[in-house]
Amino acid sequence: MKISIITVTYNAASVLQRTLDSVKVQTCQQIEHLIIDGASKDDTISMVEAYKAQCPYEVVVLSEPDKGLYDAMNKGLRLATGDYLVFLNAGDTLHVNDTLEAIVRSALPLRSAKNSLQTVSKQPGVIYGDTAITDGEGKFLYLRRLRPPKQLSWKSFRQGMLVCHQAFYALTAIAKDIPYDLHYRYSADVDWCIKVMKEAERQHLPLVNTNAILANYLEEGQTTIHHRASLKERFDVMRRHYGLLSTVFMHLWFAVRQVIK
């Protein structure tokens, strides 16, 4: 089984090396690492080329102007050839050196509950786990406040994005047919994850919890920097998927929850 790791970069030389290192030390080397760069003007590309020369697995580098983060992510989707794919952006890292082994184990065919001797050849539509938040130097700060449920479904995101994008491994056969909606600048990842889970449900594919921390997420992401605009977009995403009344109710609950805390 091969995993496509998609890393989007733009002038990311100050934070990229730890991302590359976290992939390079994985005990599972059935990897395709796609570096989608927006024509960086710093040392990003020279850093990536040095990394590529050292790796026993395939590293694909595409550097050209793009229309923003999600346009670059769509380029990664189109290039991905692995069985599963994940987005690991510059500054983010795989949690430990056997993280991808946990993904491979979770992707093994499931057995029927009715007949334990009969193997059901259904790969998970999504494999997911927890996320640690790190500072600008990559040091652990805390576990992400929104935690993944034991059993995830597309309806789970009504309560917020319970699984971080970097801990969301999608079956490539599903993901490639669901491009990111460029109408959104900050929340297309939420919309995309919900659409992937909906399609997995339509195909009767399970969503599998690894019960492990899969990613280290850099605290100051774009949605943190542009918090208000991101919240407005997320409201629109939730309204489209869950309906206006449900979305208003959940946002009122979010506000009450913040006051209680």
Side-chain angles (χ1 to χ4, degrees), residues 18-73:
R18 61 173 171 265
T19 303
L20 303 179
D21 289 343
S22 80
V23 178
K24 189 166 60 175
V25 299
Q26 288 298 301
T27 53
C28 170
Q29 294 279 287
Q30 300 302 312
I31 303 168
E32 168 189 70
H33 199 173
L34 307 173
I35 314 292
I36 311 299
D37 181 71
S40 289
K41 297 175 176 61
D42 64 358
D43 293 331
T44 295
I45 294 304
S46 59
M47 183 180 293
V48 168
E49 291 297 342
Y51 163 75
K52 181 177 180 179
Q54 299 168 2
C55 293
Y57 47 83
E58 184 178 11
V59 177
V60 177
V61 184
L62 175 65
S63 183
E64 62 184 18
D66 55 49
K67 299 175 184 176
L69 175 64
Y70 297 120
D71 180 43
M73 291 166 85

Side-chain angles (χ1 to χ4, degrees), residues 17-164:
Q17 191 60 55
R18 61 173 171 265
T19 303
L20 303 179
D21 289 343
S22 80
V23 178
K24 189 166 60 175
V25 299
Q26 288 298 301
T27 53
C28 170
Q29 294 279 287
Q30 300 302 312
I31 303 168
E32 168 189 70
H33 199 173
L34 307 173
I35 314 292
I36 311 299
D37 181 71
S40 289
K41 297 175 176 61
D42 64 358
D43 293 331
T44 295
I45 294 304
S46 59
M47 183 180 293
V48 168
E49 291 297 342
Y51 163 75
K52 181 177 180 179
Q54 299 168 2
C55 293
Y57 47 83
E58 184 178 11
V59 177
V60 177
V61 184
L62 175 65
S63 183
E64 62 184 18
D66 55 49
K67 299 175 184 176
L69 175 64
Y70 297 120
D71 180 43
M73 291 166 85
N74 278 338
K75 293 178 183 181
L77 278 178
R78 290 192 289 270
L79 290 173
T81 62
D83 298 278
Y84 285 85
L85 61 83
V86 68
F87 288 89
L88 189 72
N89 289 337
D92 303 327
T93 59
L94 299 170
H95 184 62
V96 289
N97 63 4
D98 62 351
T99 292
L100 296 186
E101 278 195 32
I103 301 303
V104 172
R105 287 194 300 270
S106 298
L108 294 174
L110 305 177
R111 293 192 178 276
S112 167
K114 295 181 179 179
N115 182 355
S116 61
L117 297 177
Q118 180 182 2
T119 297
V120 180
S121 57
K122 282 190 174 181
Q123 287 184 299
V126 174
I127 301 168
Y128 65 98
D130 217 329
T131 302
I133 305 300
T134 63
D135 64 14
E137 297 179 353
K139 295 178 181 177
F140 175 84
L141 294 175
Y142 49 85
L143 284 178
R144 188 170 180 263
R145 181 179 61 81
L146 293 179
R147 307 292 299 280
K150 289 183 178 180
Q151 185 54 60
L152 183 70
S153 80
W154 68 270
K155 296 178 182 177
S156 301
F157 274 31
R158 185 182 285 121
Q159 302 173 52
M161 193 173 185
L162 299 184
V163 179
C164 187

Side-chain angles (χ1 to χ4, degrees), residues 9 99 106 150 190 192 207 252:
T9 62
T99 292
S106 298
K150 289 183 178 180
V190 184
W192 181 81
L207 311 183
L252 288 173

Side-chain angles (χ1 to χ4, degrees), residues 169-190:
Y169 288 71
L171 186 65
T172 304
I174 291 177
K176 285 178 75 73
D177 292 332
I178 304 175
Y180 288 82
D181 187 344
L182 301 187
H183 169 75
Y184 298 113
R185 293 186 63 193
Y186 311 113
S187 298
D189 51 347
V190 184

